[in-house]
């Protein structure tokens, strides 16, 4: 049977999908190029979200296109009970960029799976199941991850299914008070993404480490959004002197747009794992490994984490200067190319105008923050254009 060609793509999606807000009937996206998405009919959108921070190399980067095409011609699936050359290459490359104490990984397909596995590993190491997370946290949508995600309305929907987790304010004393001898793990994002681009203080992060050490709990640093250059370094938590995590979930940018996640761990966790204690059919998929390897090679070749630090600092300074006297703007904050423009009122209408009037895509973070996560290859000219557009939509009433 010939499949029907949708007359209105948004209409079809709205009819067939049930868990997303309805789409507007604008022409669908048909191509990506650099930092731009191109709609049917030719409208171009500057994407300052990199698709939720995923497309660190922008869209259709030639190195990624070539690597995926070549790998698809050679081998597109290889189960984990058989060795595969490109998986081994990827494992070595990934180990080469991981900070101390990480030298092992579990490969999966998404951020929530990486968080879920990290929670399981923490339970195996400690023999405990209770976890602690921070207010305004976001760690994903599967059951374990959802229990550690702050949004009370979202959690309430599934309350009977969720494991025991407590939330604390991200301040050192609250964190130290919350961790006890029943705690399996404390999970946190070094810069909270979904919750409002909240940069955690060194004091809070080090208090988390101390409290975990004192009670034999594990520290899970969720770098799904902040990792791989986003915050101006390979891993955001390493900006805090002396901070080492026990488990580090990764996803989003590590696949550059191809579904890929990973849990990094070291000797302490490895000692508690046994063959069969965790698994996944798509783990170490050859296409995912080819994408992952290309992302690492390209981030290295173009020095993109360091570039995110310098370009991000300039963009932050520009935004602060441009918006300094704007009564609508409370502050501009963030690190590297993960920035938030904090408003004194809800951000939704301004985000909609950025898109409709300036063809620029940005994300909300909490009710009143405009979140910017541009591809790490973004040009200064594109960021200047973004600053002009933000200034315009936040200046007119
Ligand atoms: C996006 C995100 C996740 C979940 O990743 P998915 O791939 O959507 O499952 C987990 N943690 C953080 C910090 C994220 O930003």
């Amino acid at each position: 049977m010939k499949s029907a060609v949708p007359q209105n793509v948004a209409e079809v999606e709205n009819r067939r999908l049930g868990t997303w807000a309805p789409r507007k009937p604008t022409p669908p996206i048909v191509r990506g190029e650099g930092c731009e998405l191109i709609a049917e009919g030719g409208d171009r959108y500057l994407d300052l979200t990199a698709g939720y921070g995923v497309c660190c190399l922008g869209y259709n980067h030639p190195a990624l296109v070539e690597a995926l095409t070549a790998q698809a011609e050679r081998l597109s699936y290889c189960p984990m009970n058989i060795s595969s050359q490109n998986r081994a290459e990827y494992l070595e490359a990934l180990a080469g960029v991981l900070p101390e104490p990480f030298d092992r990984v579990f490969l999966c397909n998404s951020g929530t799976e990486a968080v879920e596995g990290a929670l399981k590993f923490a339970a195996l190491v400690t023999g405990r199941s209770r976890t602690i997370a921070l207010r305004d946290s976001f760690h994903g949508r599967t059951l374990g991850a959802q229990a550690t995600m702050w949004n009370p309305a979202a959690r309430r929907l599934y309350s009977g299914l969720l494991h025991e987790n407590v939330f604390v304010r991200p301040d050192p004393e609250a964190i130290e008070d919350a961790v006890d001898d029943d705690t399996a793990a404390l999970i946190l994002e070094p810069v909270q993404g979904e919750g409002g681009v909240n940069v955690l203080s060194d004091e809070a992060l080090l208090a988390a480490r101390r409290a975990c050490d004192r009670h034999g709990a594990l520290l899970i640093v969720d770098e799904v959004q902040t990792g791989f250059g986003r915050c101006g370094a390979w891993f955001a938590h390493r900006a805090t002197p002396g901070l080492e995590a026990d488990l580090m979930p990764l996803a989003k940018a590590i696949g550059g747009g191809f579904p890929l996640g990973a849990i990094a761990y070291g000797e302490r966790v490895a000692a508690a794992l046994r063959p069969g204690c965790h698994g996944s059919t798509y783990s170490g998929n050859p296409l995912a490994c080819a994408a992952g390897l290309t992302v690492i090679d390209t981030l290295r070749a173009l020095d993109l984490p360091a570039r995110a630090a310098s370009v991000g600092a300039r963009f932050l300074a520009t935004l602060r200067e441009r918006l300094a006297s704007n009564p609508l703007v409370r502050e501009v904050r963030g690190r590297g190319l993960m920035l938030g423009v904090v408003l004194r009122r809800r951000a939704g209408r301004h985000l909609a105008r950025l898109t409709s009037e300036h063809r620029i895509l940005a994300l909300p973070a909490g009710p009143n923050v405009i979140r910017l996560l541009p591809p790490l290859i973004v040009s200064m000219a594109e960021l200047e254009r973004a600053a002009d557009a933000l200034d315009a939509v936040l200046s007119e009433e």
Side-chain angles (χ1 to χ4, degrees):
M1 206 181 92
K2 215 166 137 239
S3 63
V5 179
Q7 289 305 300
N8 181 333
V9 172
E11 209 177 279
V12 171
E13 292 195 344
N14 290 341
R15 190 163 66 241
R16 302 290 177 198
L17 300 172
T19 67
W20 276 270
R23 285 118 221 280
K24 295 198 176 62
T26 49
I29 300 300
V30 289
R31 270 184 69 75
E33 206 177 276
C35 297
E36 291 186 324
L37 287 169
I38 303 157
E40 197 173 73
D43 280 345
R44 301 175 83 94
Y45 295 85
L46 175 58
D47 182 12
L48 298 187
T49 79
Y52 291 110
V54 163
C55 297
C56 56
L57 305 180
Y59 292 97
N60 305 11
H61 191 283
L64 259 180
V65 172
E66 198 200 311
L68 281 168
T69 310
Q71 186 60 45
E73 281 170 358
R74 273 198 302 274
L75 180 68
S76 55
Y77 183 76
C78 181
M80 280 303 275
N81 58 354
I82 299 171
S83 298
S84 128
Q85 161 116 23
N86 96 314
R87 185 192 299 137
E89 276 171 34
Y90 180 54
L91 290 171
E92 286 296 284
L94 187 53
V97 299
L98 294 178
E100 292 291 325
F102 304 123
D103 61 351
R104 329 271 169 110
V105 290
F106 177 89
L107 297 176
C108 55
N109 316 288
S110 67
T112 199
E113 279 175 81
V115 167
E116 202 79 14
L119 295 173
K120 287 175 73 177
F121 291 176
L124 286 178
V125 171
T126 61
R128 310 168 186 169
S129 59
R130 192 167 157 268
T131 56
I132 297 174
L134 302 189
R135 290 177 77 110
D136 295 316
S137 60
F138 182 87
H139 298 292
R141 304 286 200 154
T142 52
L143 289 173
Q146 176 112 38
T148 66
M149 152 185 173
W150 166 247
N151 187 326
R155 252 183 305 118
R156 211 172 296 125
L157 298 172
Y158 302 102
S159 56
L161 292 171
L162 305 180
H163 77 269
E164 194 190 345
N165 175 81
V166 297
F167 292 93
V168 293
R169 279 175 294 112
D171 82 51
E173 274 154 48
I175 289 172
E176 298 220 43
D177 284 349
V179 181
D180 64 22
D181 291 344
D182 292 327
T183 307
L186 191 162
I187 183 167
L188 53 80
E189 303 150 87
V191 180
Q192 295 183 320
E194 207 71 21
V197 191
N198 306 313
V199 182
L200 294 200
S201 69
D202 287 345
E203 292 73 25
L205 289 166
L206 292 170
R209 178 70 274 172
R210 261 196 319 275
C212 286
D213 287 344
R214 191 175 315 126
H215 295 281
L218 299 197
L219 177 61
I220 304 175
V221 174
D222 180 348
E223 292 254 18
V224 167
Q225 189 165 149
T226 51
F228 265 54
R230 173 57 54 198
C231 293
W234 278 88
F235 300 100
H237 75 280
R238 299 295 290 177
T240 300
L243 181 64
E244 289 184 11
D246 299 304
L247 286 155
M248 179 170 66
L250 297 171
K252 294 207 165 102
I254 74 168
F258 199 92
L260 178 60
I263 310 163
Y265 60 96
E267 187 51 45
R268 180 177 176 201
V269 171
L273 306 187
R274 298 286 174 270
C277 72
H278 194 43
S280 166
T281 301
Y282 278 117
S283 182
N285 171 270
L287 292 168
C289 289
L293 186 58
T294 306
V295 167
I296 291 176
D297 286 348
T298 310
L299 288 191
R300 273 187 193 279
L302 303 179
D303 205 11
L304 290 180
R307 184 177 183 276
S310 58
V311 170
R314 276 172 67 188
F315 188 37
L316 178 66
T318 303
L319 288 176
R320 281 184 174 157
E321 192 186 306
R322 296 287 291 273
L323 303 173
S325 57
N326 189 316
L328 196 60
V329 177
R330 185 175 306 226
E331 67 167 321
V332 188
R333 65 189 176 209
R335 194 187 279 172
L337 282 171
M338 180 167 181
L339 299 178
V341 180
V342 186
L343 306 184
R344 292 182 197 279
R345 62 175 72 158
R346 302 182 81 82
R349 197 166 59 84
H350 306 287
L351 282 165
R353 283 187 55 204
L354 263 186
T355 303
S356 63
E357 292 169 26
H358 298 271
R359 301 265 186 270
I360 287 180
L361 307 182
L363 283 167
N368 65 332
V369 180
I370 295 177
R371 177 172 35 151
L372 305 168
L373 303 170
L376 305 184
I377 57 161
V378 70
S379 70
M380 217 45 229
E382 285 167 325
L383 294 177
E384 294 288 350
R385 186 185 143 202
D388 288 344
L390 277 163
D391 196 9
V393 299
L394 296 175
S395 296
E396 300 154 23
E397 269 313 295

